[in-house]
Amino acid sequence: MEDCVFCKIIKGEIPSEKVYEDDEIIAFKDIHPAAPIHILVIPKKHIATLLEVSEEDSYLIGRIYQVINKLAKDMGIDQSGFRVIVNCGRDAGQEVMHIHFHMLAGRKMGPKIVG
Ligand code: AMP
Ligand code: ZN
């Protein structure tokens, strides 16, 4: 997708602070962190929103959770805990139309639902 900022990050056209990469998935630091640790985990496949996730993406989405699991352990936040958020559409405030999993940690999250 030509105008997608996250596809540009995947292609290396926009810089990012990558913390993980494999052939299907990358993870990088959010440019405006909402917590001491704020990572975005995304598939390299351009899927605009959660509503575009199809059955053929099931394995890929499962792998994203495996990457989150690995990152949590690698970053040492598996014991203290972390939050994973996917915003979908206008009312959730989704700004980037390339599905992404926010991984937030390093502080007490407070309310059960952000916002
Ligand atoms: P959302 O509101 O769920 O669409 O979240 C989009 C997130 O992407 C926001 O937290 C932004 O700070 C983050 N973001 C936007 N552009 C970049 C970028 N170039 N590098 C890293 N994070 C970005
Ligand atoms: Zn994209």
Side-chain angles (χ1 to χ4, degrees):
M1 286 294 281
E2 276 175 21
D3 289 332
C4 172
V5 63
F6 287 174
C7 281
K8 286 182 178 164
I9 284 176
I10 291 161
K11 286 189 260 175
E13 293 171 6
I14 292 178
S16 68
E17 274 194 73
K18 268 181 222 158
V19 295
Y20 178 85
E21 177 164 20
D22 65 33
D23 55 338
E24 294 182 312
I25 295 166
I26 68 166
F28 52 92
K29 293 185 183 174
D30 195 293
I31 205 166
H32 294 126
I37 294 174
H38 188 170
I39 305 292
L40 300 174
V41 185
I42 70 171
K44 289 186 174 176
K45 177 181 178 183
H46 180 89
I47 300 171
T49 81
L50 187 149
L51 294 171
E52 276 77 52
V53 172
S54 65
E55 205 170 333
E56 70 176 29
D57 300 318
S58 301
Y59 184 74
L60 175 60
I61 299 301
R63 283 207 59 239
I64 284 177
Y65 280 99
Q66 289 301 322
V67 168
I68 290 169
N69 178 330
K70 173 184 161 43
L71 285 172
K73 290 168 183 161
D74 288 351
M75 294 187 296
I77 51 165
D78 51 323
Q79 299 300 313
S80 47
F82 57 94
R83 183 171 283 171
V84 176
I85 295 173
V86 178
N87 291 317
C88 183
R90 185 191 59 206
D91 280 1
Q94 184 179 2
E95 287 173 3
V96 179
M97 292 297 151
H98 182 131
I99 194 169
H100 49 280
F101 293 68
H102 294 262
M103 195 175 172
L104 297 152
R107 66 167 168 82
K108 198 133 174 72
M109 293 297 149
K112 288 287 177 194
I113 308 289
V114 169

